[in-house]
Amino acid sequence: MRHHLSEEETAQFNEVILPYLSHPAVQKMKDYCAHGSVSVLQHSMNVAKTAYRLDLFFGKRSDLKILLPGAILHDFYLYDWHDRPLSFRIFKMHGYTHPFEASKNAAEVFQANEQIREVIRCHMWPLTLTSIPRHREAVLVCIADKLCALKETILR
Ligand SMILES: [Fe+2]
Ligand SMILES: [Fe+2]
């Protein structure tokens, strides 16, 4: 997978991502931590860039208006799960429930369409057994999330 993006690819990425990135609700994800010292916003940007690179590598066939909003909003759950009750943490409830929480927030704040919401809902598969990624964009975000989580956890 290519690490360096061309000027045109960077411009294309920014054009889709900036309206989301500049929104105060998305900026709030800075306040929550994802893995180690990485904020949810930083993690979400890592996932968006990785999903974009994966798409370029695998033939550029994704709809970027689904892939990139889905990636930047995939963890748009807006709470710090470390502050949740003990039961919530012990049974890893967060892992199962946050894709649905994020999907609901994406619809409320950005009127995200069903395809974007599918990307968000399915990103934790196979943990969420019945939310299976069926479209290219959802598969790429699901893979990108796992690659980034691994990298952020190991390299902290
Ligand atoms: Fe997640
Ligand atoms: Fe994630």
Side-chain angles (χ1 to χ4, degrees):
M1 192 167 57
R2 204 153 42 88
H3 203 75
H4 184 75
L5 299 178
S6 71
E7 236 171 73
E8 194 191 333
E9 287 160 353
T10 305
Q12 194 180 35
F13 178 86
N14 288 341
E15 191 191 327
V16 184
I17 215 86
L18 283 180
Y20 293 92
L21 192 61
S22 59
H23 194 286
V26 169
Q27 283 295 317
K28 227 178 137 29
M29 291 199 282
K30 251 189 209 155
D31 302 340
Y32 308 121
C33 110
H35 311 105
S37 55
V38 180
S39 74
V40 178
L41 182 61
Q42 185 56 58
H43 164 71
S44 303
M45 277 302 284
N46 292 343
V47 171
K49 284 178 196 156
T50 303
Y52 185 56
R53 288 197 191 102
L54 284 172
D55 182 60
L56 293 175
F57 185 77
F58 288 114
K60 304 187 191 186
R61 291 199 307 275
S62 289
D63 182 342
L64 296 182
K65 293 208 159 106
I66 295 168
L67 182 76
L68 298 181
I72 188 85
L73 301 175
H74 81 280
D75 276 339
F76 193 43
Y77 47 82
L78 303 174
Y79 57 77
D80 192 333
W81 69 279
H82 301 85
D83 293 342
R84 287 284 162 118
L86 195 62
S87 59
F88 198 80
R89 285 178 277 148
I90 289 178
F91 298 110
K92 302 232 189 306
M93 298 284 282
H94 170 73
Y96 299 102
T97 56
H98 80 269
F100 303 97
E101 195 80 28
S103 162
K104 197 181 93 201
N105 291 339
E108 277 173 19
V109 178
F110 292 105
Q111 290 75 49
N113 64 29
E114 177 48 32
Q115 290 150 294
I116 295 172
R117 296 183 66 185
E118 190 211 314
V119 173
I120 299 170
R121 274 200 315 271
C122 300
H123 82 268
M124 287 300 284
W125 189 82
L127 187 66
T128 47
L129 286 175
T130 53
S131 295
I132 306 166
R134 294 179 199 280
H135 296 100
R136 180 186 173 94
E137 291 82 2
V139 173
L140 292 182
V141 170
C142 186
I143 296 170
D145 184 43
K146 283 159 185 71
L147 289 175
C148 291
L150 196 67
K151 208 168 155 187
E152 290 158 11
T153 310
I154 293 172
L155 299 179
R156 67 178 163 175

